[in-house]
Each structure stands twice: as structure tokens, then as C-alpha cells.
Amino acid sequence: MTVTIVGSQLGDEGKGGIVDVYGDAADVVVRYQGGDNAGHTVVDGDEEYKLSLVPSGAIRGKIGVLGNGCVVNPETLFDELDALRERGIEPDVRVAARAHVIFPYHRVLDGIEEDAKSEEGDLEAATTGRGIGPTYEDKAGRRGVRVGDLLDPETLRARLEYVVPQKRALAADVFGIETDEAFEVEPLFEQYREYGRRLEAEGMVVNVGSFLDDAIDGGQNVMLEGAQGTSIDIDHGIYPYVTSSNPTAGGACTGTGLGPTTVGQGEVIGIVKAYLSRVGTGPLPTELAGVEGHTPGYEASESPDLSADIDQPQSEEELAHYIREEGGEYGTVTGRARRVGWLDMPMLRHAARASGFTGIVVNHVDTLAGLDEIRVGHSYTLDGDELLSMPPTTERWGECAVNYRTFEGWDEQDWAAVADEGYDALPETARTYLEYVSDELDVPIYAVGVGPGREETIVCERPF
Ligand code: IMP
């Protein structure tokens, strides 16, 4: 069977940790979209692994697969694999022949387009700068290079000879930058041919659809791991402040070659963070005090002194600071401070519908501990009407006024002990909060995350 893991909000909901917990029963863990923009941290005892491309299951002896819906930077892939090998892990990673390849010119163009958008107004998405958007653009424009092409010198050369002069002209003539080797066919051909040889020598390139089908037919468990989250999905997210792929569950089909009936017979689990965080620009109705340069119109005030430890945060700025520090809300890939906000139920209702969740996992319940009260955006008011889900344009979303519900907070606990004892050991106020979320979405709680380690996860249901 399959279990699909989907981010319900803006990414960084703690998917890696839950893939790790449930992944024990999986034989194969597959990523179906995104590239090395997806930072995931896996904690194993005292060891911490920060990965951006390699599926997290690969550090636990599972077969890790990058599906055709992914965009692959071979340099990142081999750097991560080599670093894991140096730490004594032998990851078994396969890559779809149909996945698209990120080239250095994609990364350069990602940066210059962001600069241009920022000069034109507030259009930049604050991307991770990994070349993700430009690579998906070439995929849709039918001028991309796929992983399978790296194994075939003639095709690789022909593709590069077509596309590279176009990229050079775009960079030089449209954006006016001086180009270097990132825009020259010969060095790119040599470097990427070498990656192709290594992929081939290590037997990494597969036809993912049939590879997974065979695994399922053979009784194996397949976990499909979405990166990023529903609200930064290119179709269902807050366009244009989105990533360029489909983290929603439909992406698990198109991004692997498994049929919707196969994915739909399994479980689809939405990962929820108990509050919101995001990197990037654009509106965020439940945002607490913002991050300069990312929150439209936000300028930090001179006071309060946020460097001091805050006992009971009072102002929005103090609350944002408290949650950011407690939750470690800094980008895994970029190190950027994330914007934070209260849980947004219309966002979650939208996510639950778009992916058809069969269960949810609520993470970071420990992060909110110590606050006297916790707020949740229950619904929006737009043009005098109450909305329970997100409006389809981002501009209208930004006009929504939030109707909050307030919940009593909970104290710090020995969270590992709570996780050990189970759901009923959670403070009653935390359970009230969790059950409200579950009831509103009409989806059962499968697990609750109360810390970063796998031993700090309360598991209520095991999907495999
Ligand atoms: P890109 O995916 O690098 O093109 O960035 C597009 C938008 O998605 C930006 O707002 C990024 O901050 C956001 N984004 C990309 N990857 C992640 C992630 O793994 N977690 C959270 N946000 C992400």
C-alpha cells in the first residue's frame, strides 16, 4: 500500500520527522516534487541530519526515490550522498530518468529574476535561490534536460546546444548581466556527462512508475513524501508566492507515475504545524508581527528588547519572537528568520479538501507551551461574508479579516515522558485544542509531535 505525506500549510510543518516515524514500516520512500529547496531535518538520537534532496528514509536503510516530478541538482545529490557515506550511512537512492535536471544557469536566473521582480514592486517570491522555478519553466517549455539525458551524450549535447544560447541571451540581453561558464555548452556538457556516468555506474536511474508498481505488487510499503506545503502549491497555493510544483496529493500521482487509484487506496496524511510559519513574501492574515522585507508594509519597532528572554509575551512582536525562538523558526536551507502566525483554519480546510486527508499529524505542540492563551484563526470575513476556506486569489486572501477563537494554553512538560505515555497524557487544554482542529476538518489525529526527535511523537494510528 501507499501512504502519502502532505504539508498542510506553508512548508516546514515537520514532515521529515513523521516520515521518519512512519517510515519504519515502509520499504521505499519517494519524493514526488520539488528539489533541493526542501530542507528536512531528521534527528536520530544525538545525530542530526540536514538534507535538502535525499529522501529522509534513505538514512534508515530504506530505498529513497526521487520521482519524475522532482527537479534534481546532481551536485547537491552527490554532495549529500558523499556526506552521509562519510558518516557511515550507505544510502540507496534511485532517481527517475524522467526527472528534470537543474543546471547552474537555472540558479543564476532564479536570482536575477527575483531581483528584477523586487525592483518592479513586491512580486518576488523570496525563493530559496536553488533554480527550482527556472527548471520547471524549462520542463513546461519543453526545453528541459532530463536525468535520462545525462546518460546519453548525443541527446545531452543536442539539448544543451539548443537551450544554453537562449539562456545566455536572456541573461545578457534581457537582464544585462555578464555571463560565465554557467552559460557555456562545453563545460556544462563535460560536468553533467560526468554526473551521468556516476548515476549509471551506481545504478541509480530508474523508471519510477514501474519500479514502484513492482514494489507494491511485491507487497512492499511505499511512502510518498511531499515537500513544501499546500499553500505554496503552484495551483492551490497563494500564487505567485509559491513554489513551482504540486505538493498536494495529486502530485504524488503525476510526480511518480502511480495512478490516482493506487494512491487513493492508501492513506493521505496532512502534516499540520500548531501555528504558522513561512519564509517568503505575500500576505499572511494570521501573522503576528512580521519580518522586515518579507511582510508587506512591516517595519520593526524600536522596542521591545527581543534579545532578552521573554517570560510571558505580551505584544505581537514578543509573541512572534517567542514562537520563532522556541520553534527554531529559521530556514533549514537558507537560515532565514521565518514569519510566524496563528493557526489558520480556512487554510487547513482548503488543504484537507485539496488532498483528501484521511488523517492529520499536528506538530510543534510543545513550541506553544508556556503561553497563557493560544489563538486560532477560525474563519475570515470578506465583504461582510464569513468564509471557512481560502478565497482563490492571493490579493483577496490578503483582504480577509480573521475571526479568532481563543484557547487556554498549556505548560511545559517532560515531553518525552508524555509521548511515552500516549495521547491521554497531554495536558487537557492541549487536547481541547487538538480536538477542535480534528473536528473542524472532520479528520482523525494520527499523531502529535511534541519535540523534534522520533521519541517525542505521540503515535495514535499507524497507517501501514
Ligand atoms: P522556490 O521553491 O525556491 O522557488 O521558492 C518559492 C517559494 O517557496 C518561496 O517563498 C520559498 O521560501 C518557498 N519554499 C520553497 N521550499 C520551501 C520549503 O521547503 N519550506 C518552506 N518554504 C519553501
Side-chain angles (χ1 to χ4, degrees):
M1 76 171 283
T2 66
V3 171
T4 303
I5 302 289
V6 177
S8 305
Q9 294 147 321
L10 295 144
D12 308 310
E13 299 94 350
K15 294 179 291 293
I18 211 71
V19 167
D20 193 36
V21 170
Y22 287 153
D24 262 351
D27 302 288
V28 185
V29 179
V30 191
R31 281 194 50 193
Y32 54 83
Q33 42 73 231
D36 55 347
N37 52 346
H40 38 284
T41 308
V42 180
V43 179
D44 183 17
D46 293 337
E47 296 289 319
E48 191 177 84
Y49 301 91
K50 283 192 188 297
L51 301 169
S52 62
L53 187 58
V54 168
S56 39
I59 68 164
R60 299 221 192 260
K62 314 293 172 190
I63 300 178
V65 178
L66 296 173
N68 56 276
C70 293
V71 285
V72 179
N73 184 331
E75 188 177 351
T76 312
L77 177 64
F78 287 126
D79 281 354
E80 288 189 2
L81 291 176
D82 290 344
L84 288 173
R85 285 184 182 132
E86 269 169 33
R87 291 173 74 174
I89 290 169
E90 269 310 317
D92 181 352
V93 174
R94 314 296 173 95
V95 187
R98 290 186 170 97
H100 278 250
V101 178
I102 301 179
F103 280 84
Y105 51 80
H106 290 125
R107 292 179 70 133
V108 177
L109 288 166
D110 194 354
I112 43 186
E113 179 147 14
E114 281 281 286
D115 290 345
K117 281 183 167 175
S118 141
E119 279 163 26
E120 291 291 316
D122 284 332
L123 282 173
E124 83 270 26
T127 73
T128 58
R130 301 295 194 266
I132 306 296
T135 309
Y136 279 114
E137 231 179 273
D138 281 354
K139 171 180 176 173
R142 296 163 299 198
R143 66 181 93 84
V145 177
R146 306 201 293 179
V147 166
D149 302 334
L150 302 182
L151 277 55
D152 172 357
E154 270 179 38
T155 306
L156 175 61
R157 185 177 286 283
R159 296 259 194 276
L160 289 175
E161 279 176 354
Y162 175 73
V163 79
V164 173
Q166 285 188 13
K167 299 295 166 190
R168 194 165 50 233
L170 178 64
D173 303 341
V174 177
F175 293 110
I177 66 150
E178 215 169 290
T179 59
D180 58 11
E181 289 208 329
F183 293 85
E184 282 168 31
V185 173
E186 211 44 49
L188 290 173
F189 175 80
E190 290 304 330
Q191 187 186 358
Y192 280 74
R193 209 18 226 137
E194 193 47 44
Y195 292 138
R197 284 193 200 95
R198 184 166 171 193
L199 285 164
E200 195 168 26
E202 297 192 20
M204 291 171 70
V205 181
V206 292
N207 184 346
V208 165
S210 46
F211 180 82
L212 296 179
D213 231 17
D214 289 349
I216 293 168
D217 282 350
Q220 297 199 335
N221 285 331
V222 173
M223 179 166 266
L224 301 155
E225 177 186 5
Q228 290 91 37
T230 304
S231 281
I232 54 173
D233 181 292
I234 183 103
D235 286 286
H236 304 290
I238 48 173
Y239 193 90
Y241 309 105
V242 291
T243 192
S244 299
S245 62
N246 290 118
T248 41
C253 307
T254 53
T256 62
L258 288 175
T261 42
T262 302
V263 173
Q265 276 162 25
E267 300 255 16
V268 178
I269 302 175
I271 313 301
V272 176
K273 184 183 271 191
Y275 52 91
L276 289 188
S277 76
R278 80 155 302 170
V279 277
T281 39
L284 192 58
T286 64
E287 183 167 24
L288 288 157
V291 170
E292 257 180 300
H294 291 269
T295 305
Y298 176 77
E299 279 174 43
S301 67
E302 294 287 312
S303 59
D305 176 11
L306 298 178
S307 60
D309 268 355
I310 297 165
D311 184 30
Q312 190 54 234
Q314 303 295 338
S315 69
E316 283 206 358
E317 240 160 1
E318 286 178 346
L319 267 166
H321 177 71
Y322 183 91
I323 294 173
R324 188 175 300 119
E325 296 302 309
E326 294 289 316
E329 293 297 347
Y330 293 88
T332 315
V333 171
T334 57
R336 294 180 294 198
R338 295 184 186 138
R339 300 162 63 187
V340 293
W342 295 120
L343 192 71
D344 184 319
M345 289 308 297
M347 181 187 279
L348 286 186
R349 293 186 193 100
H350 170 66
R353 186 194 41 74
S355 287
F357 294 156
T358 57
I360 53 169
V361 172
V362 184
N363 279 328
H364 278 269
V365 167
D366 55 310
T367 301
L368 297 181
L371 296 176
D372 283 347
E373 53 175 48
I374 286 157
R375 299 176 83 197
V376 174
H378 174 77
S379 63
Y380 306 138
T381 298
L382 184 64
D383 299 336
D385 295 325
E386 187 185 27
L387 297 188
L388 289 173
S389 192
M390 292 168 88
T393 72
T394 306
E395 292 65 33
R396 295 288 277 160
W397 188 52
E399 290 165 21
C400 288
V402 182
N403 304 310
Y404 286 99
R405 292 213 179 159
T406 302
F407 290 79
E408 207 180 308
W410 46 91
D411 293 331
E412 270 302 339
Q413 314 280 317
D414 174 350
W415 293 108
V418 171
D420 200 39
E421 268 185 71
Y423 184 83
D424 290 338
L426 278 167
E428 196 188 338
T429 47
R431 279 183 279 133
T432 303
Y433 179 85
L434 291 166
E435 282 150 30
Y436 158 80
V437 175
S438 166
D439 288 349
E440 286 295 320
L441 301 181
D442 199 17
V443 177
I445 292 178
Y446 275 20
V448 181
V450 291
R454 51 163 44 190
E455 62 290 342
E456 289 153 331
T457 303
I458 301 169
V459 179
C460 309
E461 294 286 338
R462 291 200 175 267
F464 282 120

